Amino acid sequence: NAQGKAQLSGFFANNSSDSLRIHLLQDNLSNKETPFSVLIDRQGKFKVEVPINDRAVVLIEYDGFIFPVYMEEGSPLQLEGDRRRLDASLTFYEQGQLKNNTCLHEMRAEEGLFQTIGTRIVSHGIRIPKGLEKVLASMDPMDKQRQLISMSAKEKDLLQRKNRELELSPEFVQFMETHIEFKYYNYRMYLGSDELVHSNFSFYQDHLYHATYQAYLDEYIVRSCSRAAREKLDFYRNYALIYDCVWENPELPQNLKEHITARLLFRNFRPTTASMLQPWYDDFMLRVSNPKYVNPLKKRFTNINEFAEGKEAPIFELMDNEEAWVALDAYRGQKVYLTFWATWCAPCIQEYYDAVPIRQALEEEQVAFIFVNIDKKTETWLKHSITKNGDGVHLTAADNSALTQAYKVRELPRHFLIDEAGNFIEEYPHMNSTEFIEYIRSNK
């Protein structure tokens, strides 16, 4: 979990947007990449505190353009650019006149580092250019391996050249070397040039803050445990086998074992799995005393049980898009599919429209679809096409942080199914599926 922050501020000339979005890895246990919006004033200026655990690259999305920014905990960063020629005009101002972000921006232009457009997501967050994947697909494993090792060396050489030309911090150089090395380790495993790529785990155990190294660890663990079990294992279905495999692995230092198994448990804790995970949770608590892992797991285990089947859903009363007050308990006697969303949440919007046929098929059933928006500005919510023209009940929680806290809304979209008595229903098919229609019709 992020312990510190770094201030990010900036100015865009010829600005025409009222906000930008920042994408960052929320924390090392959940592995969630969380976007959040930052307001830009009429002069084109913005300022925000970004949660950073040691060092990180965050992605800034502005006016249809996405670019990476390197940040360190406690170190302020300023940037400036002209919206009309953003890529060419971006300028960075760092403590000590360092040129870390100038280097990152130039390397991105030359080698496509941290590229997001035209890429495929590989192994929990690492992205591979589709063009590269297509080129390598026809090669045999040895040729792929040689090509990828050569590309890795080329990027490292480029970094060293930039280091000689610019004023870079040792921390940034180390961060980028780690990114390049483990990005290509993952490429090699993903593209089949190597079944498994080993690392010096004792040396890299201090790099747990690094998202690229974390992605490598995830891939390495699943692959090495699959090889030990002589069957293909899945991070979410085979957590018990992977948990035991990690603790039995002699190559891994103790703190890496703690970190990997904490993530394994944290990401597998769901209402449907909490009781099944109890033995491994209890075993973890006997093995580990580090509060960095123990406290978040305890909190997550407690929170999940709050939403277990039969627990009463927190009552609320919110204003709808026609300025009428709507209470949750007014829907007693029918099921409620409750969704928390925001206008800046692209997956929320896509999911809403994808599920239109499902909701239409259930119009005659006793189920209400309630959409609670958490935008800070109600005007933004009211102007959105979902609010103006969409089906369902549309409510705003703009001034109700207590409600989002009660429902533990830390990621979007967030869903709950509530029964006729106002209690949570624990296990049900995803709403964007035809199985959900059958589930509702057969559970009256």
Side-chain angles (χ1 to χ4, degrees), residues 253-319:
Q254 174 71 17
N255 71 333
L256 268 189
K257 292 180 179 181
E258 294 178 8
H259 180 76
I260 292 166
T261 52
R263 279 169 54 85
L264 181 72
L265 294 174
F266 190 96
R267 290 161 60 193
N268 274 287
F269 269 142
R270 297 184 296 278
T272 55
T273 62
S275 60
M276 293 183 286
L277 275 166
Q278 182 82 50
W280 290 272
Y281 171 77
D282 292 340
D283 181 77
F284 181 87
M285 291 303 173
L286 291 174
R287 290 178 184 265
V288 179
S289 59
N290 189 338
K292 172 182 175 182
Y293 302 121
V294 169
N295 294 342
L297 275 173
K298 281 184 176 179
K299 186 175 181 180
R300 183 160 176 80
F301 194 70
T302 302
N303 289 345
I304 281 176
N305 286 331
E306 288 181 28
F307 304 112
E309 185 165 2
K311 295 290 183 71
E312 184 177 3
I315 298 298
F316 58 80
E317 186 176 30
L318 300 172
M319 189 177 69

Side-chain angles (χ1 to χ4, degrees), residues 7 44 52 76 130 149 162 212 245 271 281 299 302 304 377 398 429:
Q7 186 182 88
I52 297 292
K130 291 181 181 178
I149 291 174
K162 296 293 182 184
T212 309
C245 169
Y281 171 77
K299 186 175 181 180
T302 302
I304 281 176
K377 293 184 177 181

